[in-house]
């Protein structure tokens, strides 16, 4: 995958593509300092070269990947929002609304926690 347009064009379901485009637009508007990089065939948002968050899709849900420590930190809030999660991703079914206030807390946490990071991933 070479770019974000190729990522969006790979989403066959128009409603899913639209929803993901809206999520990307919100993220770019809210965090204009972020860059989008493609790694492992997935777009990821970075801040000063360090990973902050990634979004992807599956047939049944939208996936949000903020790193394991962040999911652990916000586990109760994630569950209160009605989302399932693993150690690595938050699953938002296509029928569920996106809790943007929770997403902002998650992203803000990663930005603050990684403010002095120079590596891509947490160690």
């Amino acid at each position: 995958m070479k770019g974000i347009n190729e990522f969006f064009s790979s989403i066959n379901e128009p409603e899913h593509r639209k929803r993901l485009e809206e999520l990307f637009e919100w993220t770019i508007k809210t965090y204009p300092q972020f860059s989008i990089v493609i790694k492992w065939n997935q777009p990821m948002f970075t801040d000063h070269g360090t990973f902050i968050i990634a979004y992807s899709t599956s047939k049944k849900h939208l996936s949000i990947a903020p790193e394991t420590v962040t999911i652990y930190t916000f586990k109760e809030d994630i569950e209160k929002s009605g989302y399932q999660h693993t150690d690595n991703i938050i699953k938002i079914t296509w029928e569920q609304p996106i809790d943007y206030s929770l997403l902002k807390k998650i992203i803000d946490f990663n930005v603050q926690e990684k403010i002095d990071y120079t590596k891509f991933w947490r160690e």
Side-chain angles (χ1 to χ4, degrees):
M1 181 173 303
K2 295 181 179 174
I4 193 71
N5 290 333
E6 188 177 342
F7 171 74
F8 285 128
S9 67
S10 72
I11 302 169
N12 294 326
E13 180 63 46
E15 289 181 28
H16 297 177
R17 183 180 322 113
K18 182 177 186 258
R19 190 156 187 217
L20 205 61
E21 287 171 343
E22 290 170 355
L23 178 57
F24 271 75
E25 287 173 17
W26 174 86
T27 305
I28 292 165
K29 182 180 176 185
T30 307
Y31 301 95
Q33 76 275 21
F34 286 0
S35 297
I36 299 175
V37 298
I38 306 293
K39 292 186 180 281
W40 302 281
N41 291 322
Q42 180 178 349
M44 300 179 179
F45 286 93
T46 64
D47 188 17
H48 65 276
T50 189
F51 174 86
I52 299 297
I53 198 155
Y55 308 131
S56 61
T57 65
S58 77
K59 186 175 181 177
K60 295 184 179 184
H61 64 267
L62 162 68
S63 296
I64 297 178
E67 284 189 287
T68 302
V69 68
T70 309
I71 290 176
Y72 180 77
T73 300
F74 291 95
K75 182 180 178 192
E76 287 183 25
D77 292 331
I78 292 165
E79 291 170 356
K80 282 181 189 173
S81 288
Y83 303 145
Q84 293 182 340
H85 63 87
T86 66
D87 288 343
N88 298 313
I89 64 168
I90 300 164
K91 299 176 183 180
I92 302 175
T93 67
W94 293 113
E95 294 77 31
Q96 291 177 301
I98 297 171
D99 184 343
Y100 283 100
S101 63
L102 173 59
L103 187 55
K104 185 166 184 347
K105 286 182 199 176
I106 287 169
I107 293 171
D108 288 348
F109 173 81
N110 273 351
V111 168
Q112 188 60 43
E113 285 284 306
K114 297 179 89 177
I115 201 161
D116 294 322
Y117 259 66
T118 57
K119 297 183 178 178
F120 193 74
W121 302 111
R122 283 183 173 95
E123 294 183 334

